[in-house]
Amino acid sequence: MLQVEPVAAPGAPLARRNPVAKLAAALVFSIMLIVTLDPVAPAVAIAVELAVLPLFGVRYRVLARRAWPLLIGAVGVLVTLVLFAADRSGPPLVELGPVLVTSGVLVTALGLVLRMFAVALPGVIVFATTDPTDLADSLVQNAKAPARFAIGALAAFRLVPLLAQEWQMISMARRARGVDAGRNPVAKVRLFASTAFTLLVGAIRRGTRLAVAMDARGFDADTPRTVARRQRFTTADALLVLGAAALAGGALAVSVALGTFRPLIG
């Protein structure tokens, strides 16, 4: 079953930081990397992220297990750019009929793939080291987020494992009724789409019931709510956000110093 609980060592120095501070640090670090298209800045950022990973108490094997869907996205980006990129500058490397792969295409594809990893990994690290309940409490107390939004996000995290369980139940129920694709790839795609639609309908119904229940309990009211667990934003948490901004700025500075900086706009 898919787990949404933190998997970091509880005594790790950065894993103990305020959830909002970790989330803000990840956002700052990721947003600053979006301004460039070159592969150097995100490559430096990925190296920094992997270097500080032990400070969050996350093992590299755990990170690889949680981030493997990014590899599928990376392959999709690479194939799409190789086939459909408009900029074919640079010397040609491979030419197979209408498919022309140049050095410019590969540099652009490499930059986008590395940037995708550099932007996504901080989020993976944050949610691998943060308890969903602590995140909701911190959003309400420190970020002053509406209780309806924070508790709704918490409920979404808690309901994620149910999607995997329901997918398995739907598949088993259909197999028991003799609905099986066998080795037919077209039938497999059709069965996958049907199961996904059934799961989507169930998720919408559950979300509707949850929204009605939250409204009935006054989560959308203006009355101040009490909290059971205090979440304090300390000086160390502020330093974490500033450190993330400094490291992202350093990655951009390396790109500028090497002359590879390619602004997103301009």
Short mmCIF file of all heavy atoms in Angstrom, two decimals, residues 158-213:
data_model
loop_
_atom_site.label_atom_id
_atom_site.label_comp_id
_atom_site.label_asym_id
_atom_site.label_seq_id
_atom_site.Cartn_x
_atom_site.Cartn_y
_atom_site.Cartn_z
N ARG A 158 -4.37 11.75 3.58
CA ARG A 158 -4.79 10.54 4.27
C ARG A 158 -5.57 9.59 3.37
O ARG A 158 -5.59 8.36 3.59
CB ARG A 158 -5.66 10.91 5.48
CG ARG A 158 -4.94 11.68 6.56
CD ARG A 158 -3.78 10.90 7.11
NE ARG A 158 -3.16 11.57 8.24
CZ ARG A 158 -2.00 11.22 8.78
NH1 ARG A 158 -1.31 10.22 8.25
NH2 ARG A 158 -1.51 11.87 9.82
N LEU A 159 -6.22 10.13 2.34
CA LEU A 159 -7.04 9.30 1.46
C LEU A 159 -6.26 8.73 0.28
O LEU A 159 -6.78 7.90 -0.45
CB LEU A 159 -8.24 10.11 0.93
CG LEU A 159 -9.30 10.48 1.97
CD1 LEU A 159 -10.37 11.36 1.34
CD2 LEU A 159 -9.93 9.24 2.58
N VAL A 160 -5.02 9.19 0.09
CA VAL A 160 -4.23 8.67 -1.04
C VAL A 160 -4.08 7.15 -0.99
O VAL A 160 -4.24 6.48 -2.02
CB VAL A 160 -2.85 9.37 -1.07
CG1 VAL A 160 -1.88 8.61 -1.96
CG2 VAL A 160 -3.00 10.78 -1.60
N PRO A 161 -3.78 6.54 0.18
CA PRO A 161 -3.66 5.07 0.19
C PRO A 161 -4.94 4.36 -0.23
O PRO A 161 -4.87 3.24 -0.75
CB PRO A 161 -3.30 4.75 1.65
CG PRO A 161 -2.68 6.00 2.17
CD PRO A 161 -3.42 7.12 1.50
N LEU A 162 -6.10 4.99 0.00
CA LEU A 162 -7.36 4.35 -0.39
C LEU A 162 -7.47 4.19 -1.90
O LEU A 162 -8.13 3.26 -2.37
CB LEU A 162 -8.55 5.15 0.15
CG LEU A 162 -8.74 5.15 1.67
CD1 LEU A 162 -9.96 5.98 2.04
CD2 LEU A 162 -8.88 3.74 2.20
N LEU A 163 -6.87 5.08 -2.65
CA LEU A 163 -6.93 4.98 -4.11
C LEU A 163 -6.25 3.70 -4.59
O LEU A 163 -6.77 3.00 -5.46
CB LEU A 163 -6.28 6.20 -4.75
CG LEU A 163 -6.96 7.55 -4.49
CD1 LEU A 163 -6.18 8.67 -5.16
CD2 LEU A 163 -8.40 7.54 -4.96
N ALA A 164 -5.08 3.40 -4.00
CA ALA A 164 -4.39 2.17 -4.38
C ALA A 164 -5.20 0.94 -3.98
O ALA A 164 -5.29 -0.04 -4.74
CB ALA A 164 -3.00 2.13 -3.73
N GLN A 165 -5.81 0.99 -2.80
CA GLN A 165 -6.62 -0.15 -2.35
C GLN A 165 -7.85 -0.32 -3.24
O GLN A 165 -8.20 -1.45 -3.61
CB GLN A 165 -7.04 0.06 -0.90
CG GLN A 165 -5.89 -0.01 0.09
CD GLN A 165 -6.36 0.19 1.52
OE1 GLN A 165 -7.53 0.46 1.79
NE2 GLN A 165 -5.43 0.07 2.45
N GLU A 166 -8.51 0.79 -3.59
CA GLU A 166 -9.71 0.69 -4.43
C GLU A 166 -9.36 0.21 -5.84
O GLU A 166 -10.13 -0.52 -6.45
CB GLU A 166 -10.42 2.03 -4.48
CG GLU A 166 -11.12 2.39 -3.18
CD GLU A 166 -12.06 3.56 -3.36
OE1 GLU A 166 -12.13 4.11 -4.49
OE2 GLU A 166 -12.73 3.93 -2.38
N TRP A 167 -8.22 0.65 -6.35
CA TRP A 167 -7.81 0.17 -7.68
C TRP A 167 -7.65 -1.34 -7.65
O TRP A 167 -8.08 -2.05 -8.58
CB TRP A 167 -6.50 0.84 -8.08
CG TRP A 167 -6.02 0.47 -9.45
CD1 TRP A 167 -5.40 -0.68 -9.83
CD2 TRP A 167 -6.18 1.24 -10.64
NE1 TRP A 167 -5.12 -0.67 -11.17
CE2 TRP A 167 -5.59 0.48 -11.70
CE3 TRP A 167 -6.72 2.49 -10.92
CZ2 TRP A 167 -5.56 0.97 -13.00
CZ3 TRP A 167 -6.68 2.95 -12.22
CH2 TRP A 167 -6.11 2.20 -13.25
N GLN A 168 -7.04 -1.85 -6.60
CA GLN A 168 -6.86 -3.30 -6.48
C GLN A 168 -8.20 -4.01 -6.34
O GLN A 168 -8.42 -5.08 -6.94
CB GLN A 168 -5.95 -3.61 -5.28
CG GLN A 168 -5.60 -5.08 -5.14
CD GLN A 168 -4.67 -5.33 -3.98
OE1 GLN A 168 -4.44 -4.44 -3.16
NE2 GLN A 168 -4.12 -6.53 -3.89
N MET A 169 -9.11 -3.44 -5.56
CA MET A 169 -10.43 -4.06 -5.37
C MET A 169 -11.22 -4.08 -6.66
O MET A 169 -11.87 -5.08 -7.00
CB MET A 169 -11.19 -3.31 -4.27
CG MET A 169 -10.62 -3.49 -2.88
SD MET A 169 -11.51 -2.51 -1.64
CE MET A 169 -13.17 -3.15 -1.84
N ILE A 170 -11.18 -2.97 -7.43
CA ILE A 170 -11.91 -2.92 -8.70
C ILE A 170 -11.35 -3.95 -9.67
O ILE A 170 -12.10 -4.66 -10.36
CB ILE A 170 -11.84 -1.50 -9.29
CG1 ILE A 170 -12.59 -0.51 -8.41
CG2 ILE A 170 -12.42 -1.48 -10.70
CD1 ILE A 170 -12.40 0.94 -8.82
N SER A 171 -10.02 -4.05 -9.72
CA SER A 171 -9.40 -5.01 -10.63
C SER A 171 -9.76 -6.44 -10.24
O SER A 171 -10.07 -7.28 -11.11
CB SER A 171 -7.87 -4.82 -10.62
OG SER A 171 -7.52 -3.52 -11.04
N MET A 172 -9.74 -6.74 -8.94
CA MET A 172 -10.07 -8.09 -8.49
C MET A 172 -11.54 -8.41 -8.75
O MET A 172 -11.88 -9.54 -9.13
CB MET A 172 -9.75 -8.22 -7.00
CG MET A 172 -8.25 -8.16 -6.69
SD MET A 172 -7.91 -8.19 -4.92
CE MET A 172 -8.60 -9.78 -4.48
N ALA A 173 -12.42 -7.42 -8.55
CA ALA A 173 -13.85 -7.65 -8.80
C ALA A 173 -14.12 -7.92 -10.27
O ALA A 173 -14.90 -8.82 -10.63
CB ALA A 173 -14.66 -6.44 -8.33
N ARG A 174 -13.45 -7.21 -11.15
CA ARG A 174 -13.65 -7.44 -12.58
C ARG A 174 -13.06 -8.77 -13.01
O ARG A 174 -13.61 -9.46 -13.87
CB ARG A 174 -13.01 -6.29 -13.37
CG ARG A 174 -13.76 -4.97 -13.19
CD ARG A 174 -13.22 -3.88 -14.06
NE ARG A 174 -14.10 -2.72 -14.04
CZ ARG A 174 -13.89 -1.61 -14.74
NH1 ARG A 174 -12.82 -1.54 -15.52
NH2 ARG A 174 -14.72 -0.60 -14.66
N ARG A 175 -11.93 -9.13 -12.40
CA ARG A 175 -11.35 -10.43 -12.74
C ARG A 175 -12.26 -11.55 -12.28
O ARG A 175 -12.38 -12.59 -12.95
CB ARG A 175 -9.97 -10.55 -12.09
CG ARG A 175 -9.15 -11.74 -12.61
CD ARG A 175 -7.77 -11.76 -12.01
NE ARG A 175 -7.02 -10.55 -12.35
CZ ARG A 175 -6.62 -9.65 -11.45
NH1 ARG A 175 -6.93 -9.81 -10.17
NH2 ARG A 175 -5.94 -8.60 -11.83
N ALA A 176 -12.93 -11.37 -11.13
CA ALA A 176 -13.86 -12.39 -10.64
C ALA A 176 -15.07 -12.54 -11.55
O ALA A 176 -15.64 -13.63 -11.65
CB ALA A 176 -14.31 -12.05 -9.22
N ARG A 177 -15.44 -11.46 -12.25
CA ARG A 177 -16.58 -11.51 -13.18
C ARG A 177 -16.14 -11.96 -14.58
O ARG A 177 -16.95 -11.99 -15.50
CB ARG A 177 -17.24 -10.14 -13.28
CG ARG A 177 -17.89 -9.68 -11.98
CD ARG A 177 -18.89 -8.56 -12.24
NE ARG A 177 -18.29 -7.46 -12.97
CZ ARG A 177 -17.75 -6.38 -12.40
NH1 ARG A 177 -17.73 -6.29 -11.07
NH2 ARG A 177 -17.25 -5.41 -13.13
N GLY A 178 -14.86 -12.26 -14.73
CA GLY A 178 -14.37 -12.72 -16.02
C GLY A 178 -13.95 -11.62 -16.95
O GLY A 178 -13.71 -11.87 -18.15
N VAL A 179 -13.83 -10.37 -16.44
CA VAL A 179 -13.39 -9.25 -17.27
C VAL A 179 -11.88 -9.16 -17.17
O VAL A 179 -11.34 -8.64 -16.19
CB VAL A 179 -14.05 -7.93 -16.82
CG1 VAL A 179 -13.58 -6.78 -17.71
CG2 VAL A 179 -15.56 -8.06 -16.84
N ASP A 180 -11.19 -9.69 -18.17
CA ASP A 180 -9.73 -9.71 -18.15
C ASP A 180 -9.22 -9.42 -19.55
O ASP A 180 -9.76 -9.93 -20.54
CB ASP A 180 -9.22 -11.05 -17.66
CG ASP A 180 -7.73 -11.01 -17.32
OD1 ASP A 180 -7.13 -9.92 -17.48
OD2 ASP A 180 -7.18 -12.04 -16.92
N ALA A 181 -8.18 -8.58 -19.65
CA ALA A 181 -7.65 -8.20 -20.96
C ALA A 181 -6.76 -9.28 -21.56
O ALA A 181 -6.52 -9.28 -22.76
CB ALA A 181 -6.86 -6.90 -20.84
N GLY A 182 -6.25 -10.18 -20.72
CA GLY A 182 -5.35 -11.20 -21.23
C GLY A 182 -4.07 -10.58 -21.76
O GLY A 182 -3.45 -9.74 -21.11
N ARG A 183 -3.67 -11.00 -22.98
CA ARG A 183 -2.46 -10.46 -23.60
C ARG A 183 -2.76 -9.44 -24.69
O ARG A 183 -1.87 -9.04 -25.43
CB ARG A 183 -1.63 -11.60 -24.18
CG ARG A 183 -1.14 -12.60 -23.14
CD ARG A 183 -0.26 -13.65 -23.78
NE ARG A 183 0.25 -14.59 -22.79
CZ ARG A 183 1.05 -15.60 -23.08
NH1 ARG A 183 1.44 -15.80 -24.34
NH2 ARG A 183 1.48 -16.41 -22.13
N ASN A 184 -4.01 -9.02 -24.79
CA ASN A 184 -4.41 -8.06 -25.81
C ASN A 184 -4.06 -6.65 -25.34
O ASN A 184 -4.63 -6.15 -24.38
CB ASN A 184 -5.92 -8.17 -26.06
CG ASN A 184 -6.35 -7.35 -27.26
OD1 ASN A 184 -5.69 -6.40 -27.66
ND2 ASN A 184 -7.49 -7.72 -27.83
N PRO A 185 -3.10 -5.96 -25.98
CA PRO A 185 -2.71 -4.63 -25.50
C PRO A 185 -3.83 -3.60 -25.63
O PRO A 185 -3.96 -2.72 -24.78
CB PRO A 185 -1.51 -4.27 -26.40
CG PRO A 185 -1.67 -5.12 -27.61
CD PRO A 185 -2.32 -6.39 -27.15
N VAL A 186 -4.66 -3.70 -26.68
CA VAL A 186 -5.77 -2.77 -26.84
C VAL A 186 -6.78 -2.95 -25.72
O VAL A 186 -7.28 -1.98 -25.12
CB VAL A 186 -6.43 -2.95 -28.21
CG1 VAL A 186 -7.64 -2.03 -28.34
CG2 VAL A 186 -5.42 -2.70 -29.33
N ALA A 187 -7.07 -4.21 -25.38
CA ALA A 187 -8.00 -4.47 -24.30
C ALA A 187 -7.44 -4.00 -22.96
O ALA A 187 -8.18 -3.54 -22.09
CB ALA A 187 -8.33 -5.96 -24.24
N LYS A 188 -6.12 -4.09 -22.79
CA LYS A 188 -5.50 -3.62 -21.54
C LYS A 188 -5.66 -2.11 -21.40
O LYS A 188 -5.97 -1.62 -20.32
CB LYS A 188 -4.03 -4.01 -21.52
CG LYS A 188 -3.78 -5.48 -21.24
CD LYS A 188 -2.29 -5.77 -21.11
CE LYS A 188 -2.05 -7.24 -20.77
NZ LYS A 188 -0.59 -7.54 -20.62
N VAL A 189 -5.43 -1.39 -22.49
CA VAL A 189 -5.59 0.07 -22.44
C VAL A 189 -7.04 0.43 -22.15
O VAL A 189 -7.33 1.33 -21.34
CB VAL A 189 -5.12 0.70 -23.77
CG1 VAL A 189 -5.46 2.18 -23.80
CG2 VAL A 189 -3.63 0.48 -23.95
N ARG A 190 -7.97 -0.27 -22.80
CA ARG A 190 -9.39 0.00 -22.58
C ARG A 190 -9.80 -0.32 -21.15
O ARG A 190 -10.53 0.45 -20.51
CB ARG A 190 -10.22 -0.83 -23.57
CG ARG A 190 -11.70 -0.50 -23.59
CD ARG A 190 -12.39 -1.34 -24.64
NE ARG A 190 -11.78 -1.13 -25.95
CZ ARG A 190 -12.02 -1.91 -27.01
NH1 ARG A 190 -12.82 -2.95 -26.89
NH2 ARG A 190 -11.44 -1.65 -28.16
N LEU A 191 -9.30 -1.41 -20.61
CA LEU A 191 -9.62 -1.79 -19.23
C LEU A 191 -8.99 -0.80 -18.24
O LEU A 191 -9.61 -0.46 -17.23
CB LEU A 191 -9.13 -3.21 -18.95
CG LEU A 191 -9.54 -3.83 -17.62
CD1 LEU A 191 -11.05 -3.91 -17.50
CD2 LEU A 191 -8.92 -5.22 -17.47
N PHE A 192 -7.78 -0.35 -18.54
CA PHE A 192 -7.13 0.64 -17.67
C PHE A 192 -7.92 1.93 -17.63
O PHE A 192 -8.14 2.52 -16.55
CB PHE A 192 -5.71 0.91 -18.19
CG PHE A 192 -4.97 1.97 -17.41
CD1 PHE A 192 -4.26 1.65 -16.27
CD2 PHE A 192 -5.00 3.30 -17.83
CE1 PHE A 192 -3.59 2.62 -15.56
CE2 PHE A 192 -4.32 4.27 -17.13
CZ PHE A 192 -3.61 3.93 -15.99
N ALA A 193 -8.38 2.41 -18.80
CA ALA A 193 -9.16 3.64 -18.85
C ALA A 193 -10.48 3.49 -18.10
O ALA A 193 -10.91 4.40 -17.38
CB ALA A 193 -9.41 4.04 -20.30
N SER A 194 -11.12 2.34 -18.25
CA SER A 194 -12.38 2.10 -17.55
C SER A 194 -12.18 2.08 -16.04
O SER A 194 -12.97 2.66 -15.28
CB SER A 194 -13.00 0.79 -18.03
OG SER A 194 -14.17 0.48 -17.30
N THR A 195 -11.12 1.42 -15.59
CA THR A 195 -10.84 1.36 -14.15
C THR A 195 -10.51 2.73 -13.60
O THR A 195 -10.94 3.11 -12.51
CB THR A 195 -9.68 0.38 -13.88
OG1 THR A 195 -9.99 -0.89 -14.44
CG2 THR A 195 -9.46 0.21 -12.38
N ALA A 196 -9.72 3.50 -14.36
CA ALA A 196 -9.37 4.85 -13.92
C ALA A 196 -10.60 5.74 -13.82
O ALA A 196 -10.73 6.53 -12.88
CB ALA A 196 -8.35 5.46 -14.89
N PHE A 197 -11.54 5.60 -14.76
CA PHE A 197 -12.76 6.40 -14.71
C PHE A 197 -13.60 6.02 -13.50
O PHE A 197 -14.15 6.89 -12.81
CB PHE A 197 -13.57 6.20 -15.99
CG PHE A 197 -14.85 6.99 -16.03
CD1 PHE A 197 -14.82 8.35 -16.28
CD2 PHE A 197 -16.07 6.37 -15.80
CE1 PHE A 197 -16.00 9.09 -16.30
CE2 PHE A 197 -17.25 7.09 -15.82
CZ PHE A 197 -17.22 8.46 -16.07
N THR A 198 -13.70 4.73 -13.22
CA THR A 198 -14.44 4.27 -12.03
C THR A 198 -13.81 4.82 -10.76
O THR A 198 -14.50 5.27 -9.84
CB THR A 198 -14.46 2.74 -11.98
OG1 THR A 198 -15.04 2.24 -13.19
CG2 THR A 198 -15.27 2.25 -10.80
N LEU A 199 -12.49 4.82 -10.70
CA LEU A 199 -11.78 5.34 -9.53
C LEU A 199 -12.01 6.84 -9.40
O LEU A 199 -12.17 7.36 -8.29
CB LEU A 199 -10.30 5.03 -9.65
CG LEU A 199 -9.45 5.22 -8.40
CD1 LEU A 199 -9.85 4.22 -7.33
CD2 LEU A 199 -7.97 5.06 -8.73
N LEU A 200 -12.03 7.55 -10.53
CA LEU A 200 -12.24 8.99 -10.51
C LEU A 200 -13.64 9.33 -9.99
O LEU A 200 -13.81 10.24 -9.17
CB LEU A 200 -12.05 9.57 -11.91
CG LEU A 200 -12.35 11.07 -12.08
CD1 LEU A 200 -11.41 11.90 -11.23
CD2 LEU A 200 -12.23 11.47 -13.56
N VAL A 201 -14.64 8.59 -10.44
CA VAL A 201 -16.01 8.83 -9.97
C VAL A 201 -16.10 8.61 -8.46
O VAL A 201 -16.70 9.40 -7.72
CB VAL A 201 -16.99 7.92 -10.73
CG1 VAL A 201 -18.38 8.01 -10.11
CG2 VAL A 201 -17.05 8.31 -12.20
N GLY A 202 -15.48 7.53 -7.97
CA GLY A 202 -15.49 7.27 -6.54
C GLY A 202 -14.78 8.36 -5.75
O GLY A 202 -15.22 8.75 -4.65
N ALA A 203 -13.65 8.88 -6.29
CA ALA A 203 -12.92 9.94 -5.60
C ALA A 203 -13.74 11.23 -5.55
O ALA A 203 -13.74 11.93 -4.53
CB ALA A 203 -11.59 10.19 -6.31
N ILE A 204 -14.46 11.54 -6.62
CA ILE A 204 -15.30 12.74 -6.62
C ILE A 204 -16.42 12.61 -5.60
O ILE A 204 -16.73 13.56 -4.84
CB ILE A 204 -15.86 13.00 -8.03
CG1 ILE A 204 -14.73 13.36 -8.99
CG2 ILE A 204 -16.91 14.10 -8.00
CD1 ILE A 204 -15.16 13.52 -10.42
N ARG A 205 -17.05 11.45 -5.52
CA ARG A 205 -18.11 11.25 -4.54
C ARG A 205 -17.57 11.37 -3.12
O ARG A 205 -18.20 12.00 -2.25
CB ARG A 205 -18.75 9.88 -4.75
CG ARG A 205 -19.59 9.77 -6.01
CD ARG A 205 -20.12 8.36 -6.19
NE ARG A 205 -20.97 8.25 -7.38
CZ ARG A 205 -21.47 7.11 -7.83
NH1 ARG A 205 -21.19 5.97 -7.20
NH2 ARG A 205 -22.24 7.10 -8.89
N ARG A 206 -16.41 10.80 -2.87
CA ARG A 206 -15.83 10.88 -1.52
C ARG A 206 -15.45 12.32 -1.18
O ARG A 206 -15.66 12.77 -0.05
CB ARG A 206 -14.60 9.98 -1.43
CG ARG A 206 -14.03 9.90 -0.01
CD ARG A 206 -12.83 8.99 0.05
NE ARG A 206 -13.18 7.61 -0.25
CZ ARG A 206 -12.85 6.98 -1.37
NH1 ARG A 206 -12.15 7.61 -2.30
NH2 ARG A 206 -13.20 5.73 -1.57
N GLY A 207 -14.92 13.04 -2.16
CA GLY A 207 -14.57 14.44 -1.92
C GLY A 207 -15.80 15.29 -1.64
O GLY A 207 -15.77 16.19 -0.80
N THR A 208 -16.91 15.01 -2.34
CA THR A 208 -18.15 15.75 -2.10
C THR A 208 -18.66 15.50 -0.69
O THR A 208 -19.06 16.44 0.02
CB THR A 208 -19.21 15.36 -3.13
OG1 THR A 208 -18.71 15.60 -4.45
CG2 THR A 208 -20.49 16.14 -2.92
N ARG A 209 -18.65 14.24 -0.27
CA ARG A 209 -19.10 13.93 1.10
C ARG A 209 -18.19 14.59 2.13
O ARG A 209 -18.66 15.08 3.16
CB ARG A 209 -19.12 12.42 1.30
CG ARG A 209 -20.20 11.70 0.51
CD ARG A 209 -20.42 10.29 1.03
NE ARG A 209 -19.21 9.48 0.90
CZ ARG A 209 -18.93 8.71 -0.14
NH1 ARG A 209 -19.78 8.67 -1.17
NH2 ARG A 209 -17.83 7.99 -0.19
N LEU A 210 -16.89 14.61 1.87
CA LEU A 210 -15.96 15.22 2.81
C LEU A 210 -16.20 16.73 2.89
O LEU A 210 -16.17 17.31 3.99
CB LEU A 210 -14.53 14.95 2.34
CG LEU A 210 -13.42 15.58 3.19
CD1 LEU A 210 -13.46 15.03 4.60
CD2 LEU A 210 -12.06 15.32 2.56
N ALA A 211 -16.44 17.38 1.75
CA ALA A 211 -16.70 18.82 1.76
C ALA A 211 -17.97 19.16 2.54
O ALA A 211 -17.99 20.12 3.32
CB ALA A 211 -16.82 19.34 0.32
N VAL A 212 -19.02 18.36 2.36
CA VAL A 212 -20.26 18.59 3.10
C VAL A 212 -20.04 18.40 4.60
O VAL A 212 -20.51 19.19 5.43
CB VAL A 212 -21.37 17.65 2.58
CG1 VAL A 212 -22.61 17.75 3.46
CG2 VAL A 212 -21.73 17.99 1.14
N ALA A 213 -19.29 17.36 4.95
CA ALA A 213 -19.01 17.11 6.37
C ALA A 213 -18.19 18.24 6.98
O ALA A 213 -18.43 18.65 8.13
CB ALA A 213 -18.28 15.78 6.53
#
